[in-house]
Amino acid sequence: MTGAVRESKFGRVGLHAPLAKMVEPVAALQVEPESGRAAPRVPLHCAAMPASAERVFVARGLTKVYRMGDVEVHALRGVDVEIHAGELIVLLGASGSGKSTLLNILGGLDFASGGTAQFRDHDLTTADERALTRYRREHVGFVFQFYNLIPSLTALENVQLVTEIAERPMRADDALGIVGLGNRLDHFPAQLSGGEQQRVAVARAVAKRPDVLLCDEPTGALDYTTGKLVLAAIERVNRELRTTTIVITHNASIAAMAQRVLHLADGRIASEERNPTPARPEDLRW
Ligand SMILES: Nc1ncnc2c1ncn2[C@@H]1O[C@H](COP(=O)(O)OP(=O)(O)O)[C@@H](O)[C@H]1O
Ligand SMILES: [Mg+2]
């Protein structure tokens, strides 16, 4: 593995160039054989794609009890939820309301205590550790509050760590292009701002083309401006790659970018609302 910038067939990787390789098959990006010209692109800033009715996650009566000696913590007290392909969901709730617990169970990082959780036809609640590991590897991209990049590797190499072992990855430079870091491929984490490091983490999560992108407080360690750039990168992944996306936050202003907001309180979904016209992350204010 070298740190050199690989030449892309699209030339220097910019914000838009790599998309053709990542959203195939999309008719609008196919080359017309007669003219040899690319057909018109899909409009980039149309309103959020309508999520399909295909159910990606279904949870019923999901519970989680943590036992610490004699003390039981009821982190989830019966969660019923359905999440559809292509949705951008914000999971909103106070600290301790069970957001991370729910996301970790959906992402195959933790076991439920009761109820059921399914990813398509995979039953996550009866899966063993091995099956969950495989599920995570094949289907889930995670972004956490802390970026966990490898300091001795460049941005490109950090993403290549994933693309080298994935079954149908996108190119690492394309993944960095989509988060707006096509011009930072050879930078080491210490040479990147916090927001840029988090965008490398987003690129790393999506480079294997996961079905779902699960983000736990992705802007929790960032300031306002860089936080919005990270949210813009996540929203772009959802919009252009149609990756089903769940973003945890305790910041209610961020909920405006979601197609659907799930409010978690005391281990339950207290309410949910739909945004017919989600805000662009750039336009969020807090
Ligand atoms: N590994 C754990 N062991 C014991 N208690 C836990 C563990 N993880 C979370 N909890 C508890 O479960 C509750 C929900 O936690 P969490 O899902 O992390 O909430 P949130 O992400 O909304 O802040 C909290 O009361 C928390 O202290
Ligand atoms: Mg949490």
Side-chain angles (χ1 to χ4, degrees):
M1 187 161 60
T2 79
V5 180
R6 282 181 289 164
E7 274 309 312
S8 154
K9 65 188 275 193
F10 303 100
R12 192 171 177 79
V13 175
L15 281 173
H16 299 287
L19 295 178
K21 288 184 76 75
M22 290 189 277
V23 290
E24 59 202 4
V26 173
L29 291 171
Q30 283 165 3
V31 172
E32 295 164 27
E34 297 207 340
S35 69
R37 286 200 317 259
R41 305 177 66 91
V42 196
L44 287 181
H45 261 290
C46 55
M49 298 298 300
S52 90
E54 184 198 345
R55 295 185 300 180
V56 175
F57 287 117
V58 178
R60 299 280 180 241
L62 200 62
T63 61
K64 177 70 181 183
V65 183
Y66 292 106
R67 289 196 174 78
M68 320 260 305
D70 291 343
V71 181
E72 286 190 345
V73 178
H74 291 259
L76 297 180
R77 298 172 182 268
V79 167
D80 296 295
V81 70
E82 293 187 0
I83 290 168
H84 300 111
E87 274 194 299
L88 173 53
I89 301 271
V90 162
L91 200 53
L92 188 65
S95 179
S97 58
K99 305 182 297 295
S100 296
T101 303
L102 177 57
L103 204 77
N104 290 345
I105 293 172
L106 296 180
L109 284 175
D110 202 355
F111 295 98
S113 305
T116 59
Q118 276 194 278
F119 165 80
R120 300 219 163 98
D121 51 2
H122 300 250
D123 186 341
L124 302 176
T125 31
T126 55
D128 59 17
E129 190 69 64
R130 209 182 130 110
L132 286 185
T133 301
R134 196 171 157 174
Y135 159 66
R136 290 195 304 268
R137 198 176 57 215
E138 292 177 359
H139 300 288
V140 188
F142 287 102
V143 176
F144 298 104
Q145 179 171 349
F146 299 103
Y147 336 118
N148 298 315
L149 301 180
I150 305 209
S152 59
L153 299 182
T154 64
L156 187 72
E157 290 167 339
N158 266 282
V159 178
Q160 282 172 337
L161 279 183
V162 170
T163 57
E164 280 170 3
I165 57 166
E167 268 177 24
R168 44 176 202 106
M170 63 179 76
R171 290 170 51 138
D173 52 353
D174 288 348
L176 286 160
I178 202 170
V179 299
L181 291 178
N183 57 357
R184 293 285 190 278
L185 304 183
D186 292 333
H187 288 231
F188 290 93
Q191 300 170 323
L192 297 168
S193 72
E196 288 169 338
Q197 290 183 60
Q198 186 65 302
R199 284 188 280 151
V200 174
V202 173
R204 180 181 56 186
V206 302
K208 65 180 176 184
R209 304 178 198 263
D211 295 283
V212 296
L213 176 62
L214 305 181
C215 309
D216 193 344
E217 304 268 10
T219 62
L222 299 175
D223 62 51
Y224 175 76
T225 309
T226 53
K228 292 212 301 189
L229 288 172
V230 168
L231 294 174
I234 291 169
E235 188 269 346
R236 186 166 186 216
V237 166
N238 170 260
R239 179 163 40 84
E240 296 184 1
L241 306 182
R242 321 260 166 93
T243 310
T244 307
T245 302
I246 306 178
V247 179
I248 284 184
T249 182
H250 58 260
N251 180 346
S253 305
I254 292 176
M257 72 181 268
Q259 294 161 14
R260 193 151 62 99
V261 187
L262 302 174
H263 297 262
L264 223 66
D266 198 20
R268 294 191 182 87
I269 295 185
S271 62
E272 79 167 71
E273 70 208 41
R274 283 174 193 281
N275 281 336
T277 51
R280 293 161 46 124
E282 298 86 324
D283 298 332
L284 297 176
R285 296 280 175 267
W286 69 83

